[in-house]
Amino acid sequence: MSEISVIAGTSSGELAKKIARKLRAKLVKARTIAFPDGESKITLDKIPSNKKIVVVQSICPPVDTNLVHALSLIAKAKDMARHVTVVIPYMGYARQDREFLQGEIVTAKVLAKLIIAAGASEIIIVDIHSKIGLEHFEIKTTHVTAMPELVKYFKKMNLKNALVVSPDQGGEERAKIFANNLETNYIALEKNRDRKTGKVNIKTKDAKVRNMNIILVDDMISTGGSIIEAAKFLKKGGCAKIFATCTHGLLIGDAEKKITMAGIAEIVSTNTIPGNGIRVDVSGAIAKMIN
Ligand code: R5P
């Protein structure tokens, strides 16, 4: 048994268990009670080691509750250990990493300040929406990408005529890494999102996708709007099958149903967020980054 304790946050129980097993570390579970007014009471089921503590908590829905749980667990860990490694498998609020419209608050920066103030010594984040989000942390930050793990899943499929597609220009680098690993080609569509309504449309006019088996790659699928619009465009171009893959399968509300109705054959996501569509485990990639 190592001298590391892994505290499993309320949103990351299964993933934390896998990380702890890989590190041969003690697993500490956080139990919560929700009071009628919405407040949480959080209790650790055992006392962690005082050498090094790793807190694992995704800031996924219910986002604000999970954020308060994360901050509380980090603060408690800091009371007990000198070094606290904070693993945020999914970093909510990371899309608001700059002031797109005047007056908007850069929430990603606020979160970074809160996490550091709570007691984080270093941060490990999996596939953050954009690298700009990482710059808000003024402590050691390690970025882990799940793309090689997702590629392994698709390699086993042995798809003929595969084409990797990013639904937007911001994801081009991600699509490139994915395509290089899969030894195939990629394109990035041009997407427009109305910053006030959130509505998405594809601006690309033409793409050579006829008879290609498409793998749509994104960092996250939330409402499914982005990949559904991309799928409509690709189908018009005469593509063959469409698969959708992402690191963070938020799949809000009936997103999964809408994606299936849009003719997407399979959603392949990782276990950074508990829920549906999980095909790939990122615990190994995270554990490798913890000393
Ligand atoms: C945006 O740029 C992100 O990379 C995702 O494409 C987006 O957040 C997915 O959200 P939704 O599924 O609601 O379109």
Side-chain angles (χ1 to χ4, degrees):
M1 197 58 87
S2 74
E3 283 180 329
I4 303 176
S5 285
V6 173
I7 298 183
T10 45
S11 62
S12 297
E14 280 307 307
L15 180 57
K17 196 158 114 187
K18 289 193 163 82
I19 294 171
R21 205 177 293 147
K22 294 205 160 76
L23 295 172
R24 298 174 58 80
K26 178 172 168 183
L27 181 70
V28 179
K29 290 183 190 157
R31 311 245 181 250
T32 57
I33 297 171
F35 290 112
D37 62 0
E39 289 175 6
S40 309
K41 175 176 165 159
I42 312 164
T43 313
L44 300 183
D45 74 341
K46 53 178 97 72
I47 304 300
S49 112
N50 58 3
K51 294 272 188 223
K52 181 169 177 176
I53 300 183
V54 178
V55 175
V56 187
Q57 171 81 338
S58 271
I59 302 173
C60 57
V63 175
D64 294 345
T65 300
N66 281 330
L67 170 63
V68 172
H69 290 186
L71 297 172
S72 306
L73 294 171
I74 297 164
K76 180 71 177 165
K78 189 63 185 171
D79 284 346
M80 294 181 286
R82 258 208 325 209
H83 194 95
V84 179
T85 300
V86 178
V87 176
I88 308 178
Y90 168 68
M91 170 86 180
Y93 285 111
R95 283 178 287 184
Q96 192 68 46
D97 57 8
R98 62 204 103 155
E99 192 174 337
F100 295 99
L101 298 179
Q102 201 185 18
E104 285 178 358
I105 289 157
V106 183
T107 325
K109 188 174 177 182
V110 178
L111 254 67
K113 282 188 181 167
L114 288 171
I115 290 165
I116 296 169
S121 314
E122 62 168 315
I123 311 279
I124 297 174
I125 298 182
V126 185
D127 283 320
I128 193 163
H129 174 62
S130 112
K131 296 278 169 70
I132 295 170
L134 296 178
E135 290 165 16
H136 297 308
F137 287 96
E138 288 165 358
I139 54 174
K140 183 185 168 201
T141 312
T142 306
H143 188 246
V144 175
T145 179
M147 291 302 134
E149 299 300 322
L150 289 167
V151 168
K152 276 186 207 160
Y153 183 90
F154 281 94
K155 270 196 173 157
K156 285 188 199 139
M157 270 192 203
N158 244 325
L159 281 177
K160 300 276 174 275
N161 295 333
L163 178 69
V164 174
V165 179
S166 168
D168 55 41
Q169 299 281 306
E172 181 166 2
E173 189 56 30
R174 196 176 297 120
K176 187 177 171 186
I177 296 172
F178 197 101
N180 285 347
N181 273 273
L182 196 63
E183 294 172 35
T184 187
N185 295 325
Y186 74 94
I187 57 168
L189 304 179
E190 200 179 336
K191 175 180 95 178
N192 179 54
R193 186 186 290 274
D194 185 310
R195 291 242 158 247
K196 288 198 174 125
T197 64
K199 218 175 150 11
V200 164
N201 71 295
I202 300 296
K203 285 172 75 187
T204 306
K205 291 281 170 257
D206 191 30
K208 289 195 175 62
V209 297
R210 186 155 300 278
N211 298 330
M212 301 302 277
N213 280 310
I214 306 291
I215 306 171
L216 276 165
V217 179
D218 214 339
D219 56 333
M220 68 177 87
I221 300 175
S222 180
T223 63
S226 302
I227 58 155
I228 290 171
E229 287 308 309
K232 281 187 201 161
F233 169 81
L234 295 161
K235 278 181 143 189
K236 269 193 213 149
C239 71
K241 275 190 165 181
I242 307 177
F243 299 86
T245 188
C246 66
T247 305
H248 315 294
L250 285 157
L251 300 171
I252 303 300
D254 59 354
E256 213 182 342
K257 195 169 152 203
K258 287 193 288 189
I259 292 166
T260 310
M261 303 272 285
I264 292 174
E266 190 180 353
I267 306 168
V268 177
S269 68
T270 81
N271 54 351
T272 57
I273 297 174
N276 302 329
I278 297 173
R279 306 276 189 275
V280 170
D281 173 25
V282 289
S283 63
I286 294 173
K288 258 189 228 157
M289 299 299 170
I290 301 170
N291 302 313

